[in-house]
Amino acid sequence: MMAVLFDFSGTLFRIESTESWLRAVLDEARIALPEPELTQAAKALQVAGALPGGADPAQLPEDLAEMWRIRDQSAELHRAAYTGLSRQVRLPEPELHDALYDRHMTPAAWTPYPDAAEVLYGLCERGIGIGVVSNIGWDLRPVFREHGLDRYVDAYVLSYEHGIQKPDLRLFAAACEALEVDPRDTLMVGDDRRADGGAAALGCQVHFVDHLPAAERPDGLRPVLDLAD
């Protein structure tokens, strides 16, 4: 392998829990909710699918269906889709819906998987190029910098910057071009069989990991080091 492409959410990083997400925003706004109400609101937000990087909506509202399908093609669509889902849940102040969206873009909301640094370092030591290919509506580079992983990444290919989203082959092709590698010498690592699996049609090898909480997946990325030999 000459290069490895990684997905972001659920692959290299995991978003915080819905309860932690809501609690941080309420604390920032200095709004106190009784614990049972906070827990209930967090569960409702989770069911609604309002946390980017979290669970998908249990039931997608019809008026958001088309926007949801193409949400990763622009920053505006991404924000509108997720705040639209959030607004299905009653919160103490209307402004909290945008505050929740803003919170999820902060490095504090994300945790690297325990073996992410080890695997990225190992690939760099072997001279293997590393790219991040993500369906996303905002710039994730600060998350990598804050957690000390940006030093390992040679190229970022983000859907909202290209106006296309995985499994569109053009996104994987852009990553291979940025790394100056042949897709046939490239491994794509992700957690979404449809989106990330699209790289196979370009000629890339594909490896899947489970989208689990970080503490429950301590070494899910380590097989990548063997696959990249």
Side-chain angles (χ1 to χ4, degrees):
M1 287 294 157
M2 299 297 295
V4 179
L5 309 178
F6 289 95
D7 175 50
F8 167 58
S9 174
T11 300
L12 289 175
F13 283 83
R14 171 75 182 204
I15 191 67
E16 65 187 331
S17 70
T18 311
E19 185 170 320
S20 171
W21 177 54
L22 176 59
R23 193 181 298 277
V25 168
L26 291 173
D27 288 348
E28 179 70 21
R30 298 184 178 180
I31 295 174
L33 276 184
E35 201 64 23
E37 290 185 26
L38 190 151
T39 301
Q40 183 178 10
K43 287 181 179 177
L45 287 166
Q46 183 170 332
V47 170
L51 174 59
D56 284 345
Q59 185 171 358
L60 188 62
E62 285 188 18
D63 60 328
L64 294 177
E66 178 58 20
M67 186 184 298
W68 176 260
R69 186 181 68 82
I70 59 172
R71 66 192 181 280
D72 296 313
Q73 293 183 13
S74 77
E76 295 76 16
L77 284 168
H78 196 267
R79 176 181 285 271
Y82 280 103
T83 56
L85 292 173
S86 175
R87 289 188 173 94
Q88 307 298 309
V89 179
R90 183 184 295 275
L91 296 177
E93 299 290 342
E95 295 80 8
L96 290 174
H97 298 289
D98 278 308
L100 284 169
Y101 185 85
D102 293 339
R103 162 72 186 182
H104 104 275
M105 295 188 288
T106 64
W110 295 90
T111 300
Y113 279 93
D115 55 347
E118 171 195 337
V119 170
L120 293 176
Y121 173 78
L123 294 173
C124 284
E125 283 289 287
R126 300 176 193 186
I128 294 172
I130 296 173
V132 173
V133 184
S134 178
N135 279 352
I136 199 165
W138 50 277
D139 186 4
L140 51 70
R141 294 173 183 86
V143 175
F144 279 79
R145 285 196 295 270
E146 183 69 22
H147 290 281
L149 300 185
D150 180 65
R151 72 189 81 173
Y152 304 120
V153 180
D154 301 300
Y156 295 92
V157 178
L158 311 180
S159 61
Y160 84 102
E161 294 181 340
H162 292 261
I164 49 178
Q165 60 192 49
K166 298 180 290 187
D168 194 311
L169 298 186
R170 291 174 293 173
L171 214 58
F172 304 110
C176 292
E177 183 177 349
L179 295 171
E180 299 182 342
V181 294
D182 190 305
R184 293 168 295 183
D185 299 323
T186 303
L187 174 67
M188 176 67 208
V189 182
D191 67 297
D192 188 319
R193 278 163 171 72
R194 178 180 176 274
D196 300 313
L202 191 65
C204 301
Q205 294 189 40
V206 181
H207 176 69
F208 296 110
V209 294
D210 295 322
H211 189 151
L212 295 170
E216 296 178 22
R217 209 195 76 194
D219 53 7
L221 290 167
R222 286 186 184 142
V224 172
L225 293 174
D226 294 329
L227 292 169
D229 280 340

